[in-house]
Amino acid sequence: MSKSFLSTAGKSLVAFLGYVLVAKLGLSFATFTNASPVWPASGFAYVILSLFGVRYAPALFAGAFVANWLLPTAPLASLLIALGNTAEALLAFWMIRSILLPQGQLAPHRKPLVFIAASTLAPAASALTGVLALLATGAIPQSSWPTVLGTWWVGDALGLLMVAPLIHQGPSVTLAELQKNESRLRELADSMPQIVWISNADGVPEYYNQRWYDYSGQCPGDASLSEDMIHPDDRSPSAQMWAQALQEKRPFEDQLRLWDRRAQIFRWHLSR
């Protein structure tokens, strides 16, 4: 057995298993079946194509199919979603390497255009294909397709935008470039219709997107999910589930009612 074959098989295995694991991570944040507000697998797929080449796209396709099939998702829908995921990675790779980066060289003044264009346009392949697949198989009601499409599109864009700039900047990345990347990520998160929040390992919230401030009426730097924001009947059960999730180091998921400042009513939310 030649070294070349072993190398190809090893890289294919890395692409396949890596995509399955990263996709399962992204699906743990899904708010609508297969649509996640953050999809790191799109960035992982771009890394594989950038480091190994486009001939490893079939391994990414297989990984995407298995990840969705294990959700579980209908085989036909899983197949179509995997095609969309693979097309997205290939489109992003083609845009950055062939159109916006002639000969693989990135002109400094074109960096924002490169990554914003690729991260915004390429996810259309995955989001549109995925939503059509879910509609065709009855996995989502017709009334929810705009929300699912928006969540899918923005989630995949976030995954690409988090990774693609770092691959090309390499060790020479500057603080200013990192701050620009963070700014672009925040802009994408703020454009989402869902509330996005991030906590550290101790369970202390560190970030809320603009949707939270609009919903709660709180101000940046003074944001918190205080008890008065939670319906009285949900406070104790939710706090217990949160504490248990932190103790067992497992994903948190709960349905609870939060106070809508503008409507002056409690609304149900799925929190993850």
Side-chain angles (χ1 to χ4, degrees):
M1 198 173 293
S2 67
K3 291 183 178 181
S4 176
F5 174 80
L6 289 175
S7 176
T8 300
K11 291 177 180 178
S12 297
L13 188 62
V14 168
F16 170 74
L17 292 179
Y19 195 98
V20 172
L21 293 175
V22 177
K24 294 297 288 183
L25 173 64
L27 289 171
S28 69
F29 301 109
T31 53
F32 297 92
T33 60
N34 305 64
S36 173
V38 180
W39 187 245
S42 60
F44 175 82
Y46 178 80
V47 169
I48 291 296
L49 296 182
S50 297
L51 298 180
F52 298 162
V54 295
R55 62 175 176 166
Y56 291 92
L60 296 173
F61 168 79
F65 174 80
V66 170
N68 284 279
W69 181 62
L70 291 175
L71 191 56
T73 304
L76 176 59
S78 297
L79 177 67
L80 294 174
I81 291 172
L83 285 172
N85 292 153
T86 308
E88 172 190 87
L90 290 170
L91 181 59
F93 180 82
W94 175 66
M95 289 180 65
I96 293 176
R97 292 301 183 93
S98 300
I99 297 181
L100 300 177
L101 300 180
Q103 300 178 351
Q105 297 300 316
L106 178 62
H109 67 281
R110 302 178 69 183
K111 286 183 180 181
L113 173 63
V114 170
F115 301 124
I116 292 175
S119 298
T120 302
L121 298 179
S126 179
L128 292 172
T129 304
V131 170
L132 289 175
L134 295 178
L135 285 172
T137 56
I140 59 172
Q142 292 187 359
S143 60
S144 67
W145 75 262
T147 303
V148 177
L149 179 66
T151 301
W152 199 312
W153 200 319
V154 173
D156 282 28
L158 281 171
L160 277 169
L161 198 54
M162 285 189 295
V163 176
L166 300 179
I167 286 294
H168 295 285
Q169 289 168 347
S172 62
V173 61
T174 65
L175 177 60
E177 289 169 331
L178 288 174
Q179 290 174 337
K180 287 182 180 179
N181 292 339
E182 180 182 359
S183 176
R184 288 195 290 267
L185 287 174
R186 289 181 180 274
E187 288 175 2
L188 282 172
D190 287 340
S191 69
M192 296 180 63
Q194 289 81 23
I195 293 172
V196 177
W197 58 276
I198 299 174
S199 67
N200 60 23
D202 296 324
V204 179
E206 295 183 330
Y207 169 77
Y208 295 93
N209 71 341
Q210 185 59 44
R211 180 76 174 95
W212 168 257
Y213 299 121
D214 296 340
Y215 185 90
S216 67
Q218 297 176 351
C219 300
D222 192 32
S224 66
L225 184 56
S226 54
E227 279 197 355
D228 61 317
M229 287 288 299
I230 305 174
H231 192 280
D233 294 342
D234 301 331
R235 291 172 188 171
S236 180
S238 183
Q240 292 176 5
M241 292 182 65
W242 179 247
Q244 187 176 4
L246 290 175
Q247 183 179 4
E248 298 177 2
K249 300 185 183 302
R250 60 175 176 80
F252 169 79
E253 179 175 325
D254 186 24
Q255 295 186 40
L256 71 163
R257 286 160 288 187
L258 299 178
W259 182 252
D260 185 337
R261 178 187 62 85
R262 291 174 297 184
Q264 295 292 297
I265 58 173
F266 283 101
R267 297 185 184 276
W268 281 103
H269 291 260
L270 173 61
S271 179
R272 286 177 169 173

